[in-house]
Amino acid sequence: LMIRRPPRSTQSRSSAASDVYKRQGMIMEDLAVDLLKTLNPLTKFRSLVSLDLNFSYSPFNDEGCRVAGYILRHSRTVAFFKLWASSTAVTDVGLAHIISELHFLPLREILLTLNDTQIGDKTLIMLSKALAQMKISQLSEFQLPIRNSGISDLGVIALLDALSLHSSLQKVFFDFGYVEKVTDKSAKKIIDLFTSGIQWEEIICYLE
């Protein structure tokens, strides 16, 4: 897709950039609606095993999340799910379309990259509930880079509690950097998990 810049003679640079972004967002919404109308789940997603969606640094928004949720709803065979949505306009409301489908899937690996977004504790709590409903023995890897976001200890601790149910986990990666409301309470929770005898093979956590 090519989007023409507004004429420089009529708008300032900042307003021109804003209009381009808005138009990109509208195009994304139009594409999402068209996709929802044309996709045939019976033929497109019957044997989908891996789904890797990369929308970082794009006008990806809640409408795009709705499309991703639609795909997951009609592809109950996905075992490897990755979503890259850093520096986008996605919100807790949009991610609910995706997270509400996760516990129906035989997931072995989950990666959600949500750096530089306004995602908050609602997303982490929804994700915690989904993890608690998943089959305990299936998940082997979970990664959540979510730097510079709106989360807090409340969401992080709820997520850690849900992950602690999954004894099959081999690798856990968190990046909660540049988040003022994630404090020593979250770090203490991670330490408590290890002292409780959790069997995860590898855990990497950044709390800057």
Side-chain angles (χ1 to χ4, degrees):
L1 294 173
M2 181 176 72
I3 299 174
R4 296 183 183 277
R5 293 180 180 273
R8 292 186 179 181
S9 60
T10 59
Q11 291 180 300
S12 67
R13 182 177 301 176
S14 61
S15 63
S18 176
D19 282 355
V20 168
Y21 184 86
K22 288 176 182 177
R23 276 189 265 177
Q24 287 175 330
M26 287 187 287
I27 288 173
M28 179 65 199
E29 291 180 7
D30 290 342
L31 288 175
V33 171
D34 290 342
L35 189 58
L36 286 170
K37 290 178 180 177
T38 58
L39 289 177
N40 182 350
L42 295 179
T43 58
K44 299 289 185 183
F45 310 125
R46 183 175 295 169
S47 58
L48 190 64
V49 175
S50 179
L51 183 59
D52 190 337
L53 302 173
N54 191 339
F55 297 103
S56 293
Y57 307 102
S58 75
F60 182 73
N61 53 25
D62 290 346
E63 190 66 25
C65 286
R66 189 163 72 92
V67 174
Y70 178 89
I71 294 172
L72 291 173
R73 190 176 312 127
H74 295 286
S75 55
R76 297 305 195 203
T77 54
V78 172
F80 305 91
F81 178 64
K82 297 180 181 180
L83 173 68
W84 311 74
S86 295
S87 301
T88 61
V90 64
T91 69
D92 293 318
V93 174
L95 278 176
H97 292 290
I98 294 174
I99 294 173
S100 62
E101 303 298 331
L102 295 183
H103 72 279
F104 293 108
L105 307 174
L107 286 167
R108 293 175 57 189
E109 294 182 11
I110 300 174
L111 166 64
L112 300 175
T113 303
L114 303 168
N115 298 321
D116 300 305
T117 64
Q118 295 303 309
I119 298 304
D121 287 334
K122 287 183 179 180
T123 286
L124 295 192
I125 290 171
M126 285 189 296
L127 189 54
S128 301
K129 292 178 179 178
L131 287 165
Q133 292 176 302
M134 287 181 191
K135 186 177 179 182
I136 300 302
S137 62
Q138 69 186 32
L139 194 62
S140 62
E141 185 172 325
F142 181 87
Q143 298 189 55
L144 181 65
I146 190 169
R147 296 165 69 90
N148 193 25
S149 64
I151 62 173
S152 73
D153 288 325
L154 176 66
V156 172
I157 290 172
L159 183 62
L160 288 168
D161 282 335
L163 285 170
S164 68
L165 301 173
H166 292 265
S167 58
S168 59
L169 275 168
Q170 298 175 4
K171 180 178 180 179
V172 178
F173 173 81
F174 295 121
D175 188 345
F176 301 133
Y178 303 104
V179 181
E180 293 182 0
K181 295 182 180 180
V182 175
T183 68
D184 290 344
K185 291 181 179 180
S186 294
K188 183 178 183 301
K189 180 65 177 182
I190 293 172
I191 294 171
D192 289 344
L193 286 177
F194 275 99
T195 57
S196 68
I198 200 165
Q199 298 299 310
W200 298 345
E201 294 183 11
E202 179 181 359
I203 181 168
I204 303 172
C205 185
Y206 294 102
L207 294 169
E208 298 178 28

